[in-house]
Amino acid sequence: MQHDDVIWDIIGNRQFCSFKVKTKGQNFCRNEFNVTGLCNRSACPLSNSQYATVREEKGQCFLYMKVIERAAFPAKMWEKVKLSRNYERALEQIDENLIYWPRFLRHKCKQRFTKITQYLIRMRRLVLKRQRKLVPLSRKVESREKRKEEKALIAAQLDNAIEKELLERLKQGTYGDIYNFPSHAFDRALEQQDEESESGEEEEEEEDEEDVGKREFVAEDEVDESDLSDFEDMNKLRTSSDEEEQEDSSEEEEEEMQVKRSKGKSPANGAAARKKRAYVEIEYEQETEPAPKSRVTL
Amino acid sequence: MYGMEKETKMEPEASSFPPTFSVSEIKNKQRRHLMFMKLKQEKRKQKMQLKKKKKKEREALGDKAPPKEVPKTIENQRVYDETTVDPEDEEVAFDEGTDEFSAYFNGLTNPQVLITTSDRPRGRTMRFCRQLATVIPNAHVYYRKGLALKRIIPQCVARNFTYLMVVNEDRQVPNGLVLCHLPDGPTAHFKVSNVRLRKEIKRRGKDPTEHSPEVILNNFSTRLGHSIGRLFAALFPQDPQFVGRQVATFHNQRDFIFFRFHRYIFKNEKKVGIQELGPRFTLKLRSLQKGTFDSKFGEYEWVLKRHEMDACRRKFQL
């Protein structure tokens, strides 16, 4: 026999109910067939022999009904009715199936059905929107990366690198005439050039002394008397061109010099060649510090 | 056993350990600890003696001393990457002449940057975006109202933007950056870490002005590094205003790209002072995609594969 009151008296008020969840203000019922979710005399599925719920399964809503006639057959206790997808039609179905049932159950079933359809609609809409993809982080990997980053930062020595780069750019002249410092660089360049020309002259003098004693056999026809005085200059030219070959400046000057030598020109040209040589040195110096066309250094 | 302990206790008075002795054999923790400390001291003393000897030899030889040994660093030991770019490589030069940035580098387009975030950004991310917008000239921050990126991109192209920057946020902190070059340019996805906003930078200068900054790109050596470098370079206008004395640096070290923004001043031709303004952050490249942002059907040029690429400590991609 089903004694609902007795059952409620026991599980609701005095003794233990495994579905009951007590909180500060309210009691909840965790039974999956409960219509409202609260622990009440009228909403408890265990202490009501005539009971109905609406539940959803994979987007389909069903009406579950329990009557006292089937109380002895727990396997067949709940009658399952599939509700239509149409909201109004489903409400009519609920009314149809729960005709002559207590008002409370009918109302609560319809309320629950409404809530379920609302959340199903929201789920479907959410799937269409962009969703945040959660990418799991591995703790080990993250800490490893963090450590590597710190070490890389130390190894980078950023301030030094930046300062060096800026000074490089200043030296190369990307800033043009904004700063007045380049005058120092100019002075230094001039000094360097003076030093080199001095050392060049010393070498020339040494070579002059070397060549003075040497004898060279030359054909009669090619040598003119006017050219005899050029011998020393010619030797100077030859040795100076050797020096140039050692430096890796352009070969065009060398070829020009050789061409001039073969034509046997006057010492004025030799002097010009020497002057040209000095001029070339300046050019060479400037070539070692080319102004960059692009600021981007890669 | 007792006898052995006695032996080991007697030995240290002579301050030399027998060769078969090991500290770990002593069972008593205190004594073991003492022995270990003594062992360490011995070793340190020997090391100092060796150092002193070497220094003396070095000074004695004077000029003829052998050159100082260079310590091994990770940069020294770096595994040679076959895609390292030669400065004179013709193929690279040709590629760079015809790739998506050629328009910028030939001076045809001016960079226009659109900065936005992921959905519902929190304060820190928004502040970061606004500071980025002051650092990059021609940059605008727009609030993301839950719009799909694929729909934003055609609109941006229509309004002549050249760059789209999306700052991704997690737990109220920016942690990712998607940099998309707009007229179907490459898209780079970075992991952002160590973001310091202006307030948090010590000894910083005043706010950056409107002048276009100069750009420094350091250590981008491989082909991949080159393309990333060009990606960064195209963010800024071609002619920097030297009057502003501001410089933005992207420094690559061991695959981490450090971004700094400084103001410099030349004290004389050998010394320059720099003062940090502006936000700082580090980037790590996660993937490079050929076209614009498309996570499903995009063609990925490069993806970080942790097991392959992080296996060797001395191998770097950028």
Side-chain angles (χ1 to χ4, degrees):
Chain A
M1 283 290 303
Q2 277 292 75
H3 304 282
D4 295 337
D5 291 328
V6 176
I7 295 175
W8 175 250
D9 196 37
I10 297 174
I11 63 175
N13 295 325
R14 293 177 205 267
Q15 289 189 21
F16 180 72
C17 172
S18 65
F19 299 106
K20 189 195 276 199
V21 174
K22 274 188 175 182
T23 39
K24 207 164 123 185
Q26 247 183 352
N27 290 341
F28 294 101
C29 181
R30 270 186 21 214
N31 194 323
E32 50 199 15
F33 286 99
N34 192 315
V35 159
T36 52
L38 307 173
C39 187
N40 284 328
R41 171 70 184 87
S42 39
C44 183
L46 303 174
S47 50
N48 283 309
S49 29
Q50 191 184 47
Y51 198 77
T53 338
V54 176
R55 277 171 73 191
E56 71 95 18
E57 223 175 286
K58 292 188 199 152
Q60 269 281 25
C61 295
F62 296 95
L63 175 64
Y64 285 80
M65 289 178 287
K66 162 173 123 164
V67 290
I68 196 167
E69 284 83 25
R70 294 196 301 270
F73 311 104
K76 300 180 219 162
M77 202 150 62
W78 291 96
E79 181 187 342
K80 193 166 153 178
V81 174
K82 186 162 159 180
L83 294 173
S84 142
R85 289 246 186 210
N86 185 331
Y87 181 69
E88 282 93 24
R89 178 85 191 91
L91 285 181
E92 283 170 14
Q93 267 180 308
I94 293 177
D95 266 332
E96 231 179 305
N97 279 304
L98 297 183
I99 199 170
Y100 307 132
W101 279 54
R103 215 180 310 133
F104 175 77
L105 276 175
R106 253 186 287 147
H107 184 62
K108 287 300 178 187
C109 276
K110 283 191 231 164
Q111 270 191 338
R112 193 179 167 91
F113 174 69
T114 311
K115 254 298 177 308
I116 289 177
T117 45
Q118 283 173 349
Y119 82 61
L120 286 174
I121 291 170
R122 208 183 312 141
M123 274 169 64
R124 274 181 243 134
R125 208 183 291 153
L126 222 59
V127 170
L128 292 175
K129 276 196 175 176
R130 296 164 312 113
Q131 285 176 336
R132 293 210 124 170
K133 183 171 171 202
L134 294 176
V135 178
L137 298 175
S138 161
R139 218 198 304 250
K140 259 202 234 172
V141 173
E142 291 305 307
S143 66
R144 219 189 295 149
E145 296 255 304
K146 211 165 83 124
R147 217 180 308 130
K148 280 196 183 162
E149 191 188 316
E150 284 165 12
K151 304 229 168 195
L153 183 64
I154 296 173
Q157 295 177 351
L158 282 171
D159 289 342
N160 290 350
I162 297 177
E163 288 174 6
K164 221 168 56 161
E165 177 64 32
L166 288 171
L167 286 171
E168 274 279 321
R169 289 190 183 179
L170 179 68
K171 239 183 10 175
Q172 288 173 358
T174 39
Y175 298 124
D177 290 326
I178 304 180
Y179 301 105
N180 287 323
F181 307 134
S183 59
H184 296 279
F186 238 122
D187 294 329
R188 258 191 289 131
L190 281 175
E191 285 171 26
Q192 276 184 357
Q193 184 231 316
D194 288 330
E195 284 173 18
E196 280 194 3
S197 58
E198 282 175 20
S199 60
E201 285 169 12
E202 285 174 6
E203 285 175 312
E204 286 175 9
E205 287 168 8
E206 289 173 1
E207 283 154 0
D208 284 342
E209 291 167 5
E210 284 173 37
D211 291 338
V212 162
K214 274 191 184 167
R215 294 158 196 240
E216 252 187 83
F217 301 93
V218 190
E220 271 185 37
D221 305 324
E222 294 174 19
V223 178
D224 297 329
E225 285 204 336
S226 57
D227 286 348
L228 267 176
S229 54
D230 303 341
F231 256 7
E232 291 183 6
D233 296 336
M234 302 266 285
N235 288 336
K236 270 190 237 159
L237 284 177
R238 210 174 289 137
T239 49
S240 63
S241 66
D242 285 336
E243 275 183 7
E244 276 196 351
E245 273 167 358
Q246 284 162 15
E247 299 171 347
D248 44 340
S249 82
S250 51
E251 292 169 346
E252 299 160 13
E253 268 85 18
E254 286 176 13
E255 286 170 21
E256 279 178 53
M257 300 273 286
Q258 286 170 2
V259 162
K260 284 184 183 152
R261 218 194 322 136
S262 61
K263 287 188 187 161
K265 293 232 172 111
S266 57
N269 265 14
R274 218 182 309 137
K275 264 196 216 152
K276 217 185 180 177
R277 181 169 147 275
Y279 180 65
V280 162
E281 276 191 347
I282 298 177
E283 274 187 327
Y284 178 60
E285 279 190 31
Q286 285 181 2
E287 276 171 22
T288 50
E289 299 167 333
K293 296 298 172 207
S294 60
R295 293 162 292 112
V296 172
T297 56
L298 296 170
Chain B
M1 203 168 61
Y2 193 73
M4 233 169 64
E5 278 189 341
K6 264 200 179 157
E7 277 176 24
T8 52
K9 223 171 104 181
M10 300 296 263
E11 287 296 344
E13 265 89 55
S15 94
S16 67
F17 296 95
T20 51
F21 168 74
S22 151
V23 182
S24 54
E25 277 168 21
I26 309 178
K27 300 293 183 185
N28 184 325
K29 182 165 179 173
Q30 265 189 338
R31 265 196 223 120
R32 192 170 62 232
H33 183 68
L34 278 173
M35 287 297 120
F36 182 67
M37 298 316 260
K38 288 212 172 75
L39 191 72
K40 278 284 186 189
Q41 275 177 5
E42 277 278 320
K43 281 200 178 154
R44 227 179 293 147
K45 217 168 41 171
Q46 283 174 5
K47 193 171 167 195
M48 288 302 292
Q49 283 174 354
L50 198 65
K51 253 194 183 174
K52 275 195 183 158
K53 209 167 65 166
K54 273 201 173 153
K55 194 162 177 212
K56 270 197 188 152
E57 282 175 15
R58 184 173 208 109
E59 280 172 13
L61 287 179
D63 279 335
K64 289 181 277 180
K68 259 195 172 163
E69 292 160 39
V70 180
K72 289 192 212 173
T73 63
I74 294 188
E75 282 78 26
N76 287 348
Q77 307 294 100
R78 177 171 175 175
V79 167
Y80 174 69
D81 198 335
E82 56 198 11
T83 61
T84 313
V85 173
D86 265 336
E88 288 121 37
D89 203 340
E90 282 173 1
E91 189 193 333
V92 174
F94 177 69
D95 275 342
E96 293 186 355
T98 52
D99 77 350
E100 292 109 351
F101 299 108
S102 53
Y104 165 78
F105 281 108
N106 292 334
L108 296 172
T109 51
N110 236 2
Q112 292 275 345
V113 182
L114 179 74
I115 305 183
T116 182
T117 62
S118 52
D119 285 337
R120 295 185 193 255
R122 300 295 291 252
R124 207 179 151 85
T125 316
M126 281 313 287
R127 265 181 273 150
F128 177 57
C129 288
R130 266 180 249 134
Q131 290 187 3
L132 262 186
T134 55
V135 162
I136 305 176
N138 295 336
H140 304 273
V141 184
Y142 278 94
Y143 185 68
R144 176 94 168 272
K145 284 188 280 198
L147 306 164
L149 275 184
K150 283 209 223 149
R151 293 216 197 104
I152 298 183
I153 286 180
Q155 287 185 16
C156 286
V157 178
R159 290 182 209 196
N160 281 330
F161 276 102
T162 53
Y163 262 102
L164 176 67
M165 233 195 204
V166 183
V167 178
N168 188 46
E169 182 201 20
D170 179 54
R171 289 223 196 145
Q172 293 96 36
V173 130
N175 75 345
L177 180 71
V178 174
L179 195 53
C180 184
H181 186 73
L182 271 182
D184 52 54
T187 309
H189 176 41
F190 297 96
K191 174 172 92 139
V192 169
S193 45
N194 273 349
V195 174
R196 294 266 176 277
L197 301 176
R198 257 186 221 131
K199 270 210 291 196
E200 298 153 11
I201 298 181
K202 300 184 188 170
R203 291 186 276 273
R204 67 175 163 97
K206 296 207 180 138
D207 287 336
T209 57
E210 293 283 325
H211 300 108
S212 338
E214 303 169 38
V215 179
I216 292 183
L217 297 163
N218 274 342
N219 281 348
F220 288 96
S221 54
T222 62
R223 282 300 290 272
L224 180 66
H226 247 249
S227 32
I228 299 289
R230 286 162 71 77
L231 194 75
F232 288 134
L235 268 176
F236 296 91
Q238 268 271 21
D239 357 276
Q241 291 165 314
F242 298 126
V243 186
R245 284 188 286 125
Q246 288 170 146
V247 58
T249 311
F250 291 91
H251 182 105
N252 171 39
Q253 189 81 16
R254 304 183 192 174
D255 282 354
F256 288 99
I257 303 173
F258 297 103
F259 172 82
R260 299 285 185 271
F261 193 71
H262 291 280
R263 181 170 284 139
Y264 63 87
I265 178 161
F266 284 109
K267 296 182 192 160
N268 54 43
E269 83 233 359
K270 288 226 182 116
K271 259 179 97 181
V272 57
I274 51 176
Q275 194 187 38
E276 183 159 9
L277 334 164
R280 66 155 82 153
F281 51 92
T282 58
L283 301 169
K284 185 159 196 248
L285 182 68
R286 271 217 275 237
S287 67
L288 182 63
Q289 212 176 35
K290 202 110 183 69
T292 52
F293 180 75
D294 193 338
S295 43
K296 275 197 257 176
F297 305 110
E299 176 197 337
Y300 280 94
E301 214 176 283
W302 185 85
V303 168
L304 174 74
K305 295 193 195 108
R306 198 165 49 84
H307 286 286
E308 284 177 25
M309 299 173 182
D310 275 1
C312 177
R313 252 181 245 268
R314 292 167 259 115
K315 189 155 190 271
F316 302 111
Q317 319 295 328
L318 287 188

